[in-house]
Amino acid sequence: MPALWIAHVTVTDADAYGKYAELAGPAIAKHGGEFIARGGRFVQLEGKERPRNVVAKFPSVEAAVDCYHSAEYQEALDHARGASERELIVVETSE
């Protein structure tokens, strides 16, 4: 079943985070991920508000988790560490 990769982000260093975004996009695409929401308008109804919200659809939970653990994504993530506060979750869809 498909899965959604959902990230809630507060960027604290725009330059470093820009490098993360530059590298993360191709890593996500390589593992079958497609962005369906990326930093657009949102309404926070509950919980901690993060100004950047990203949703990518993957073929499966396993594909999303494999992407996260891949060398390419971990290289990108090195630029996000210390440059952002983030939560990331992968959720299987019912489609």
Side-chain angles (χ1 to χ4, degrees), residues 22-71:
E22 179 183 315
L23 296 171
I28 288 168
K30 180 177 178 181
H31 289 86
E34 297 177 39
F35 291 104
I36 58 176
R38 204 182 218 182
R41 191 176 96 132
F42 70 96
V43 175
Q44 184 73 30
L45 297 176
E46 293 186 18
K48 182 172 178 64
E49 183 172 315
R50 299 271 186 205
R52 182 163 177 79
N53 299 281
V54 178
V55 180
K57 186 173 184 178
F58 281 82
S60 65
V61 168
E62 293 77 16
V65 171
D66 287 348
C67 175
Y68 181 85
H69 292 293
S70 71

